[in-house]
Amino acid sequence: MITPALLSDNVPTSVILGAAFAGLWLSGRFVHEAIVDRTTCLPDLEHLGEPTKTKFKGTAVVCGGSFGGLMAARMLTDHFDGEVVVVESEETFEDASRKGVNLMQHNQLHAFGVIVLSAWRKLWPDADEYIKAADGRVTVCNNNLFYGRTVTLPSGFNHEWVNFCRPTAETVLRKMARTHPRIRFVHGTVTGLIPSEDGSDTVSGVTYRSLDAEEDEELSLDASFVVDATGVACRGSKWIESIGYQPPRRDYYDPYGWVVRFLLSYLARTGSDEKGTLRTPLLSYSAYTTAVVQLTPETIAKIPWPKPYAEIGWILAVPCEVGFETRSNYITRWDGDRNADGEMAVAFLQSTFNDLEQTPKTRGEVYAWARSLPMEPWQEALLDVMDEEIEGMEIYRCRLGQFYHLRYNLENKLPQNFVPIADAVMKLNPVYGQGGTKACMDVCTLDGVLRRARRGTQTSQPVPKNLTSLFLKKHSPRAIGLMDFNKALDYPWGNTSIHFPGDTPTQGAMLLSWWKQVAVAMAYSDKVYGMVQEVLQGVAAPTQLFGGRVVWTVLKVKLGLA
């Protein structure tokens, strides 16, 4: 029998201590990797785009050709031996951006983060060439955040993101998707799912109406796997209900208040003419405004840029903060929007969480809003030069809807070869710039599930009978983590209407309190700012915000030692 006495007589104390520390280190490492796998898509991103020796049988159909749908289509070519069909209702067939008729934020400023660029590079090794050809630029992930001072990133921080507008991003993505010989585009609208004839919990295809056909008839596409990428329309929930499944519960909240919703609905009811045509509402509420200003070479030369204009990405980020400021102001280059004269543009994004405050509607209001919030002297000079030199300004205003989670993960019975992704399952507050990150996370998660679902070495295999369940089990904790962070920031606004069962306005109050402390610490520590950026960009687990360096910096600030 091994006794403590025997150990002490025969094993050096240093060996025992070394083994104990090694065990603790391995345990900590295991816990860390488990947290990273549960809260981020990094383990799956590592293998995204890698070729597979075995594939699943049949055709995959992607319903919707937006951001998430196009990435999913390319990813699915690695897993299915048939073609991948993208069914898209808008005019997208000249390698150009959609018209944006059905896209609420089409002309609004967007952020395409670290995960987005990393995923693009994995799926298309020549992605940087397409980005450059579209006047987009890859820069270090720095938005010139202003928190009492402009917060800078630490040396060695090399995470990159891409700078350009949504229409250009979709054009680039569509051009890259079209390079794959097994991706086929269909101009139409998916109308439903076709249940399998064998009575199993699967679908055998989709029905759709072709927008190119002369007659309005319903057609069908065979499919061994279907992805719902229909965005905020969330059509998948209606499709599964029409074939006998329980639709998912819809949990949501609305940080922009019930007051404006009521007024707008009232005005919509009373603002119609005798023919029932809706007139322009008397109250034009907007959650945020994007304003675009074209810069001539002469104007660019007059602005005191802190570095060469070719290296400029984000110019300024002033976020709103609960209890202090309901408004935000962001300024960036609007890449990919070069006009016929070769002029480049700067874009403002100005948002508010005050349900009775409207975002700017005119050129003068845009500049007044920007000047009312803090910035560096050179940024003030930028406003002065643009205001004095350039008369034109394009203004796009956007009124956001609810932010929701369709709880597919709570349903016991679903078609097991049908998966909803991106906004078709969860919509986050776009003010925080995590929509693209969430779409990439969904695509990476699905890729990882498909890679792990293979059995044996058969070159062609049937789709597993529990594929949807496997995806939701992996996807839900990752997505819920993002939603919980959004809720912690949005719930405290006094006008938030909450419809998540069991949630209250104080939900996440402790997380919000800690976030405020960390935000202040960023102004004192570039390394803390770098760690925060990694979490926000999805390249580090949220637990990093509770690490030793962050805690120590917060304590120093509280004690006046920073």
Side-chain angles (χ1 to χ4, degrees), residues 25-40 43:
W25 183 86
L26 289 173
S27 299
R29 186 69 182 173
F30 175 80
V31 171
H32 172 74
E33 290 179 355
I35 292 174
V36 169
D37 182 63
R38 182 175 177 81
T39 59
T40 77

Side-chain angles (χ1 to χ4, degrees), residues 132 173 181 190 248 406 457 487:
K132 184 178 180 180
L173 196 53
V190 174
L406 296 185
T457 58
K487 290 194 293 185

Side-chain angles (χ1 to χ4, degrees), residues 85-149:
V85 181
V86 179
V87 184
E88 171 56 53
S89 62
E90 295 192 55
E91 294 183 18
T92 58
F93 297 93
E94 298 299 329
D95 291 336
S97 157
R98 292 182 294 171
K99 289 184 175 180
V101 174
N102 298 323
L103 184 62
M104 176 187 59
Q105 299 166 252
H106 188 65
N107 290 316
Q108 299 294 331
L109 187 149
H110 281 68
F112 300 95
V114 175
I115 290 291
V116 175
L117 181 59
S118 299
W120 284 16
R121 286 170 166 171
K122 290 277 189 175
L123 294 171
W124 296 280
D126 55 353
D128 284 63
E129 297 177 16
Y130 281 90
I131 292 169
K132 184 178 180 180
D135 287 329
R137 288 166 310 106
V138 173
T139 63
V140 173
C141 176
N142 183 10
N143 57 2
N144 277 315
L145 180 67
F146 193 94
Y147 246 103
R149 69 176 180 91

Side-chain angles (χ1 to χ4, degrees), residues 211-233:
L211 300 181
D212 293 328
E214 294 182 2
E215 297 182 2
D216 184 20
E217 63 175 317
E218 196 167 69
L219 305 174
S220 64
L221 284 170
D222 292 336
S224 58
F225 186 68
V226 178
V227 172
D228 176 12
T230 56
V232 296

